[in-house]
C-alpha cells in the first residue's frame, strides 16, 4: 500500500491536528513546515496516536521499529507532499517548476550521462521542465536512501536499480517518489488535503 497526499502548509500548520503538537514544534523558519507534516500524519492515524518518530544519523525521520510503516515528506514554498507506505522505505520530492538561472550549471554538475541524454532529447522550450523532472527523481531516490544531499551526484535516476522511481506533473509542481516495490504516480490517486478537510480525520492506513 502506498498513499500520496498533497496539501498547503499555511492551512495544515494551523489546523487542530497541528496545533495539538505545538509544544513539540521547533522554533523559527522550520516551524510551519514541521507542524504541517506532523499534523497531516496525525490525521492519518486518528483516532489512534501518532507513532514515535526517530531520526537516522543523516536526519531522515522514520517511525520507530515497532511500527511497520514508512513515510517521506517534502515541502516547496507553501506546498507539502507526503507518501506513506507499508511495503518498505520511501522517498518523496516536491519542487515548483520555475525559472532557475543556474539550472544548466546544476545539471552539468550532478546529472549522469543518461540523465543528460534525456534532457538533451527535449525541445529547448521543454528542457527546463525536464530539468525539474529529473531533479525531483534524483531527490526522491536520495531521500529514500536517507543519504546526504551532496550524494545526489552519485545517483542516476535513469538507471535500473532495486527500487521504483516515478514522477508526475501536478499543475506547476513536479512530484516524484521512490519506493521499494513497483509503484506509479501516473496510475495512482494523489489525495488533495485542502482547506475543506482541515481539522477532519482521514481514514487510518490499514
Amino acid at each position: 500500500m502506498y498513499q500520496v497526499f498533497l496539501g498547503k502548509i499555511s492551512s495544515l500548520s494551523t489546523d487542530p491536528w497541528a496545533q495539538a503538537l505545538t509544544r513539540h514544534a521547533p522554533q523559527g523558519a522550520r516551524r510551519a513546515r514541521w507542524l504541517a507534516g506532523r499534523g497531516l500524519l496525525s490525521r492519518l492515524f486518528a483516532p489512534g496516536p501518532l507513532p514515535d518518530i526517530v531520526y537516522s544519523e543523516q536526519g531522515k525521520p522514520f517511525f520507530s521499529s515497532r511500527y511497520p510503516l514508512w513515510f517521506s515528506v517534502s515541502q516547496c514554498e507553501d506546498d507539502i507532499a507526503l507518501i506513506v507506505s507499508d511495503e518498505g522505505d520511501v522517498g518523496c520530492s516536491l519542487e515548483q517548476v520555475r525559472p532557475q538561472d543556474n539550472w544548466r550549471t546544476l545539471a552539468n554538475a550532478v546529472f549522469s550521462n543518461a540523465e543528460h541524454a534525456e534532457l538533451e532529447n527535449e525541445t529547448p522550450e521543454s528542457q527546463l521542465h525536464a530539468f525539474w523532472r529529473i531533479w525531483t527523481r534524483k531527490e526522491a531516490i536520495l531521500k529514500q536512501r536517507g543519504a546526504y544531499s551532496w550524494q545526489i551526484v552519485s545517483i542516476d535516476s535513469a538507471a535500473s536499480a532495486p527500487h521504483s522511481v516515478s514522477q508526475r506533473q501536478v499543475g506547476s509542481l513536479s512530484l516524484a517518489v521512490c519506493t521499494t516495490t513497483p509503484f506509479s504516480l501516473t496510475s495512482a490517486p494523489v489525495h488533495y488535503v485542502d482547506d475543506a478537510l482541515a481539522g477532519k480525520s482521514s481514514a487510518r492506513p490499514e
Side-chain angles (χ1 to χ4, degrees):
M1 175 276 298
Y2 294 102
Q3 294 189 56
V4 181
F5 302 87
L6 276 176
K8 294 293 184 180
I9 293 171
S10 54
S11 58
L12 287 169
S13 63
T14 57
D15 77 14
W17 292 105
Q19 290 305 297
L21 301 169
T22 53
R23 68 182 184 278
H24 304 294
Q27 298 299 320
R30 293 180 54 243
R31 185 175 178 84
R33 291 183 171 193
W34 189 97
L35 285 168
R38 293 298 190 273
L40 179 52
L41 282 169
S42 294
R43 289 171 56 182
L44 295 178
F45 285 91
L50 182 65
D52 291 337
I53 294 175
V54 294
Y55 293 85
S56 69
E57 291 183 3
Q58 293 80 19
K60 177 180 172 65
F62 57 95
F63 295 127
S64 66
S65 58
R66 298 187 304 274
Y67 209 94
L69 281 181
W70 294 263
F71 72 94
S72 181
V73 178
S74 184
Q75 304 102 349
C76 180
E77 298 181 3
D78 191 37
D79 294 288
I80 184 170
L82 165 71
I83 181 170
V84 180
S85 161
D86 65 359
E87 298 189 27
D89 216 342
V90 288
C92 178
S93 176
L94 184 70
E95 293 284 354
Q96 186 77 229
V97 177
R98 62 193 186 277
Q100 177 102 1
D101 291 339
N102 65 338
W103 72 266
R104 287 194 180 275
T105 301
L106 285 172
N108 289 334
V110 304
F111 281 13
S112 69
N113 290 338
E115 289 166 341
H116 272 293
E118 179 181 340
L119 182 65
E120 294 305 320
N121 282 336
E122 298 284 344
T123 61
E125 59 270 21
S126 299
Q127 287 185 347
L128 180 63
H129 282 74
F131 166 79
W132 288 113
R133 180 179 71 236
I134 298 167
W135 184 270
T136 51
R137 291 199 324 245
K138 289 173 77 73
E139 278 196 331
I141 297 170
L142 184 84
K143 293 179 70 174
Q144 193 261 359
R145 294 180 181 177
Y148 292 108
S149 59
W150 57 265
Q151 292 177 299
I152 195 170
V153 68
S154 66
I155 290 170
D156 184 356
S157 69
S160 298
H163 56 245
S164 172
V165 61
S166 179
Q167 188 274 345
R168 176 174 172 178
Q169 190 83 14
V170 184
S172 62
L173 297 170
S174 178
L175 171 65
V177 296
C178 180
T179 57
T180 305
T181 57
F183 173 73
S184 174
L185 277 170
T186 57
S187 59
V190 173
H191 305 284
Y192 296 90
V193 188
D194 57 21
D195 290 344
L197 293 177
K200 298 181 180 179
S201 171
S202 299
R204 182 176 177 176
E206 297 295 337

